Amino acid sequence: MSIVIPTHNRRERLRRTLDALATVTRPPGGLEVVVVMDRCTDGTDAMLQRLHPPFPLRALALAGQGGPAAARNAGAAAAQGSLLLFMDDDVEPSPGFVAAHVAAHAAPDAVVIGALSPALDGQAGFFRIALRRWWEDMFDRMRRPGHRFCAFDLLSGNVSLPAALFHRAGGFDPTFTCHEDYELGVRLMRLGARFTFAEAAVARHHEATDLRGALQRKFEEGRADVALGHKHPEIIPELPLHRLWELRSRRARAVRRLAFLAPAATGVTTRAGLVALWVLERVRARRLWRRVLNDLLTYWYWRGAAGALGSPAALARFATARSGDASGAEEVLIDLRDGVATAEASLDRLRPAAARLVYGPHPVGRLPARPGAEALAGRHLRPLLEGALAAPLLDAMARAGAVPADLDATRLRALCRAVPARPTSDAEPATRS
Amino acid sequence: MATAVLDLDLSAAPADIAGLNRYDRALVLIRWCGHPVGVVELPVAGGRLDGQATRRAMIDRLDWAFWERWLRDRLGEPAPARRPATVAICTRERPDDLQRALEAVTRGLDDGDELLVIDNAPSSDATRRVVERFPVARYVCETRQGLDVARNRALREARWDVVAFTDDDAVPDRGWLRALLPPFADPLVLCVTGLTMPLELETPAQEAFERYAPFGRGFRRRVFDGTRDDPLAVGHVGAGANMAIRRSALEVVGPFDEALDAGTASRTGGDHEMFARILAAGYRIVYEPDALSWHRHRRAWPEVRQTAYGYGVGVYAMWTRLLFEAGEVGVLSRSLTWFFDYQLPRIARAASRRAGSPPVLLLLAELWGCAAGPWAYLSARRRLRRGLAAG
């Protein structure tokens, strides 16, 4: 196991990370740590030389342009382990951290995403709550049974994968300075890597960003997502950019237009938003505060995208560009009348990109193909049947006479029709007649 | 005449029910394979209920909550991982109720679970003698008076991270504890509440109380999320007689406010104020109807009026705290909305003797309590501070 840590002028933080690594349970095959110093000028080098950790520690100085992607590539090239673990310099591992990563690699070609629990020391108030939830929600999603992993679940702050798989994918793309992990995720998914979430591989993440830092980050994400779409057009429908572009409310359009058409107003808009947030927090108007924060973050995301795309017309062309690759995916037919266990086994055997679900002759819904997402598997099915597909499934079962006769199937069908159909990205319920 | 409280499972064969001579109505909890899925009220004629007719009435009442449950059973839900937990009963001089509560709780304990009885400021050894009959229970005496003082003591004493609270006048169902625990697998969940049904409706006062403030919050699981739901609207989250708290919640949001709830001038509100703080901190509370408990309402009119008065006091005491301690100015508009949109129309309906309305005197007692709430809280605070200063 080789741990690769890129760092940029965070000597003390890095030292704490290495101190914590000294206390983790080491795997039987041994452990090495490769620190890649990305244009460090704060004496990180001297600190590393004074350190005598209980594991082999190598320090590389990155030459050239720099950036976290290039630093990780350089670290991976120098690493000797058959497993690579990428972690950031502000991440403090728990004692079982490395062992949990190693244990999750029992099957080949796994990409193991570890949990990060946010340690927020510098923030306060509503922003602190929002930031903590932003981090928690990311892992909350992956923790849910039946989560369908996608390329964007890959977070380079705490992830491990076989070195061979990393090199086969071609490593990180150094032209990305943000979302380089998502971009690698797309290529790994294409290679059929198996993404998994390891709750036990938990580390504390010392998040130091403030509200202005979060806005700057959104700007970079907007720019990076355009680059991501240019490199992998099939992924565009999955980008936040596409979802935001599809929003048709007057408010959403106003935020977008402001970002694209009045770049000179950036300072004024931001200051007005920050003042509004301050006032709303004073009067504890949570709902409004969240809306304003959301608008402000979206505004900065669009500023980043506008810098890369130029005009609203270019955005429209970008958002509607389709490679047609996903929509033509092959769909398998699954009959739920044979039982859920049989259906799960079929999905596990076939691993299709998309599936159409029926109960005998009656339609239940579709599990659509999603670009950048893993192929369908048996474990995805049950939560969808109990959730988004419950009404069409019960309706189909009532029509097929599969509910106990004295429980009034006619009323059940009326109840099913009253439940509004809510398609999600993972399941599209069939319309009920 | 009184209302019989019945507990019937639709998955069992229907049978006639006799011996209901004292009752003119029946309140039936409908279960499916043990899971509560609905409730129906039926007239009782001649002291008996016909099995087939009762079953039909139950089926007519089934809604989406039942069908979701039926589908989950049909698809075969994987059994959740078991985790040990602590059950805490906070009690004060009610040995008979406590005996019944302990009998019920011990039926639902598994190996490794812990059972605490917090005896709050006792004036006799009656509680201790009851607890001695249950070897699995651990007796803890908390000399400082107050339900929230006792709850904080329970959280400090508990061996496990999740502490399930039940009142001495409640009778938890056998599956109560096991049903409260699975939602805690989500680290954002700091509290889980359950379904509370009336244990008996033998007196007019108990029937009136059930119309006035039913504990039941429906038969579908609900997730309250602080980043989506208003932290001040905690009335429908649940109640302290049937809740479990993650002990580490204390580190995040602080302990129960010892100037609130029974044993203080504030009378109630400690549970709801904790719910509000959990939501305001951006965490989640889950309402899980499978966690069923039966609550014995007070039997006599004066006690029931006192309870209604206490609710009013507690709500306004809680709001006073939220306003002054947490700067939640939203309580001002909330109190107006509650008064004009809910309390006043309800009093009007009760005064015009609309069917199903609780007695107007109970509602007036609640209103009277609201007026007293802020002063009660401030007085409870002063007393608490003096008490702590005196050591």
Side-chain angles (χ1 to χ4, degrees):
Chain A
M1 164 78 82
S2 298
I3 300 183
V4 176
I5 308 175
T7 185
H8 175 63
N9 284 343
R10 280 207 274 205
R11 188 186 59 200
E12 286 313 307
R13 183 50 72 208
L14 173 67
R15 209 178 57 98
R16 262 182 279 175
T17 298
L18 292 172
D19 286 348
L21 268 179
T23 64
V24 303
T25 316
R26 284 185 288 281
L31 175 72
E32 68 160 348
V33 175
V34 182
V35 173
V36 187
M37 292 176 289
D38 182 4
R39 297 158 294 162
C40 288
T41 54
D42 65 342
T44 300
D45 199 10
M47 182 275 289
L48 290 173
Q49 273 169 17
R50 278 197 305 275
L51 216 59
H52 298 288
F55 45 76
L57 171 67
R58 276 191 294 157
L60 308 175
L62 186 66
Q65 271 294 327
R72 289 196 190 95
N73 283 346
Q80 287 164 349
S82 60
L83 278 181
L84 295 175
L85 198 174
F86 293 103
M87 61 184 272
D88 287 345
D89 57 3
D90 54 0
V91 156
E92 206 175 295
S94 62
F97 171 78
V98 173
H101 267 289
V102 172
H105 281 284
D109 282 352
V111 173
V112 179
I113 301 145
L116 293 171
S117 78
L120 307 176
D121 310 315
Q123 303 83 353
F126 284 6
F127 178 66
R128 182 189 160 99
I129 293 171
L131 186 63
R132 189 181 55 219
R133 275 303 294 264
W134 185 84
W135 278 104
E136 300 272 15
D137 282 344
M138 203 143 44
F139 301 107
D140 185 46
R141 202 172 60 217
M142 289 193 251
R143 201 178 279 128
R144 284 176 197 276
H147 171 67
R148 190 172 176 187
F149 281 92
C150 80
F152 303 160
D153 288 329
L154 191 112
L155 298 174
S156 51
N158 178 6
V159 65
S160 66
L161 72 171
L165 178 64
F166 179 77
H167 295 303
R168 194 154 25 108
F172 287 100
D173 180 341
T175 61
F176 282 77
T177 52
C178 171
H179 280 179
E180 73 282 358
D181 37 11
Y182 288 10
E183 196 279 327
L184 174 63
V186 174
R187 282 177 286 129
L188 285 170
M189 272 295 175
R190 222 180 269 154
L191 286 176
R194 294 181 322 102
F195 281 42
T196 58
F197 173 60
E199 180 91 66
V202 63
R204 275 179 84 70
H205 177 223
H206 294 271
E207 171 67 271
T209 195
D210 58 4
L211 186 45
R212 282 187 178 274
L215 297 179
Q216 182 61 35
R217 168 82 194 171
K218 277 291 157 192
F219 179 85
E220 285 157 22
E221 286 180 5
R223 202 169 49 186
D225 282 357
V226 172
L228 202 54
H230 280 316
K231 187 167 178 185
H232 306 289
E234 80 279 6
I235 210 84
I236 290 174
E238 294 283 312
L239 291 172
L241 187 144
H242 189 263
R243 184 178 50 79
L244 291 169
W245 183 77
E246 279 189 326
L247 291 181
R248 286 285 170 263
S249 75
R250 194 177 292 178
R251 196 184 173 99
R253 284 202 314 247
V255 169
R256 190 163 67 229
R257 221 171 283 147
L258 194 62
F260 270 85
L261 300 178
T266 305
V268 179
T269 308
T270 306
R271 249 174 312 208
L274 292 175
V275 168
L277 287 177
W278 186 85
V279 172
L280 291 171
E281 181 162 357
R282 284 297 151 298
V283 297
R284 298 287 186 276
R286 289 183 177 78
R287 203 178 288 260
L288 261 179
W289 185 90
R290 276 197 298 272
R291 281 183 74 173
V292 172
L293 175 70
N294 201 21
D295 284 344
L296 203 53
L297 290 169
T298 307
Y299 172 77
W300 275 79
Y301 182 83
W302 283 132
R303 288 290 309 129
L309 285 167
S311 66
L315 170 66
R317 275 197 303 279
F318 178 83
T320 49
R322 297 249 175 187
S323 65
D325 158 45
S327 48
E330 211 167 304
E331 208 173 63
V332 302
L333 185 72
I334 304 279
D335 193 342
L336 296 164
R337 202 167 39 179
D338 308 329
V340 191
T342 313
E344 285 173 334
S346 310
L347 287 174
D348 279 332
R349 196 178 61 250
L350 301 166
R351 296 306 307 267
R356 198 152 58 80
L357 304 178
V358 294
Y359 194 95
H362 310 293
V364 172
R366 286 180 69 238
L367 311 184
R370 280 181 56 193
E374 64 178 335
L376 288 170
R379 65 186 168 80
H380 297 138
L381 187 60
R382 210 173 290 240
L384 297 173
L385 294 180
E386 289 174 2
L389 298 176
L393 174 57
L394 279 167
D395 188 55
M397 290 172 89
R399 287 165 81 183
V403 299
D406 71 333
L407 288 185
D408 200 347
T410 322
R411 258 195 70 223
L412 168 59
R413 294 205 56 201
L415 283 172
C416 288
R417 277 193 297 274
V419 175
R422 287 207 185 83
T424 69
S425 52
D426 282 322
E428 296 165 359
T431 48
R432 275 142 276 154
S433 49
Chain B
M1 293 283 257
T3 304
V5 178
L6 303 173
D7 180 358
L8 301 177
D9 201 314
L10 260 183
S11 54
D16 293 354
I17 299 165
L20 302 176
N21 298 322
R22 278 189 298 132
Y23 305 102
D24 61 350
R25 305 191 61 74
L27 180 75
V28 181
L29 174 74
I30 312 169
R31 299 209 203 208
W32 172 260
C33 300
H35 304 287
V37 291
V39 66
V40 62
E41 258 195 87
L42 298 170
V44 174
R48 53 184 291 117
L49 279 175
D50 174 66
Q52 284 299 344
T54 305
R55 186 181 166 81
R56 268 195 305 279
M58 285 158 69
I59 288 171
D60 283 345
R61 190 46 69 93
L62 296 179
D63 61 6
W64 194 241
F66 163 76
W67 285 106
E68 273 183 335
R69 161 60 63 190
W70 183 86
L71 182 64
R72 279 207 303 255
D73 276 3
R74 176 70 180 256
L75 296 176
E77 234 181 348
R82 290 154 72 95
R83 60 192 292 160
T86 296
V87 177
I89 307 177
C90 301
T91 183
R92 182 159 199 265
E93 301 303 336
R94 281 188 194 157
D96 296 341
D97 279 343
L98 180 64
Q99 169 81 27
R100 188 172 43 195
L102 281 169
E103 282 167 10
V105 167
T106 47
R107 275 198 296 271
L109 291 184
D110 281 343
D111 286 348
D113 291 333
E114 183 189 30
L115 173 57
L116 290 176
V117 177
I118 312 290
D119 191 4
N120 192 208
S123 52
S124 75
D125 67 345
T127 298
R128 178 196 288 274
R129 275 187 283 122
V130 172
V131 178
E132 275 165 3
R133 288 178 220 146
F134 296 86
V136 61
R138 180 151 71 89
Y139 175 87
V140 176
C141 181
E142 171 56 61
T143 51
R144 287 171 55 227
Q145 184 179 322
L147 178 53
D148 275 2
V149 177
R151 283 176 177 148
N152 285 335
R153 178 72 186 269
L155 289 165
R156 282 197 306 275
E157 292 279 341
R159 185 147 61 102
W160 302 111
D161 189 38
V162 172
V163 183
F165 287 94
T166 177
D167 281 2
D168 53 12
D169 53 3
V171 180
D173 192 59
R174 182 188 287 270
W176 170 73
L177 179 61
R178 294 273 82 83
L180 275 174
L181 301 175
F184 285 104
D186 173 357
L188 288 173
V189 171
L190 297 192
C191 175
V192 179
T193 61
L195 165 69
T196 306
M197 292 286 296
L199 179 66
E200 55 173 38
L201 297 171
E202 298 288 334
T203 71
Q206 286 181 322
E207 289 181 302
F209 184 82
E210 182 61 20
R211 283 201 302 279
Y212 160 66
F215 277 119
R217 300 292 185 269
F219 295 88
R220 290 184 74 184
R221 169 189 273 220
R222 291 183 65 180
V223 179
F224 299 89
D225 191 314
T227 57
R228 191 189 57 211
D229 300 305
D230 183 356
L232 301 180
V234 286
H236 39 273
V237 169
N242 186 352
M243 68 171 178
I245 298 258
R246 193 195 293 275
R247 211 153 55 125
S248 46
L250 294 195
E251 290 153 31
V252 181
V253 300
F256 283 97
D257 181 353
E258 300 186 346
L260 285 173
D261 230 310
T264 73
S266 307
R267 288 166 182 256
T268 62
D271 46 359
H272 286 178
E273 194 272 331
M274 177 56 95
F275 299 158
R277 247 186 296 154
I278 288 174
L279 293 180
Y283 288 93
R284 293 183 183 143
I285 302 175
V286 175
Y287 169 69
E288 172 55 71
D290 268 1
L292 169 68
S293 182
W294 305 87
H295 180 262
R296 188 176 70 79
H297 301 333
R298 304 288 109 207
R299 284 187 181 140
W301 277 111
E303 293 173 308
V304 169
R305 268 200 302 275
Q306 279 294 312
T307 309
Y309 175 78
Y311 278 0
V313 176
V315 170
Y316 269 70
M318 168 182 96
W319 282 348
T320 306
R321 179 199 148 107
L322 288 171
L323 180 61
F324 289 112
E325 294 261 304
E328 299 283 355
V329 287
V331 301
L332 298 174
S333 62
R334 193 146 197 98
S335 63
L336 291 177
T337 315
W338 194 41
F339 180 72
F340 285 109
D341 292 358
Y342 187 73
Q343 288 179 305
L344 212 51
R346 207 176 177 208
I347 289 173
R349 278 199 304 273
S352 61
R353 297 174 185 279
R354 191 89 63 84
S357 282
V360 71
L361 274 180
L362 280 190
L363 302 176
L364 290 175
E366 175 192 281
L367 208 56
W368 194 239
C370 293
W375 324 111
Y377 181 68
L378 296 176
S379 132
R381 279 284 290 262
R382 269 199 305 277
R383 183 181 283 253
L384 181 69
R385 233 175 272 140
R386 270 206 305 272
L388 289 177

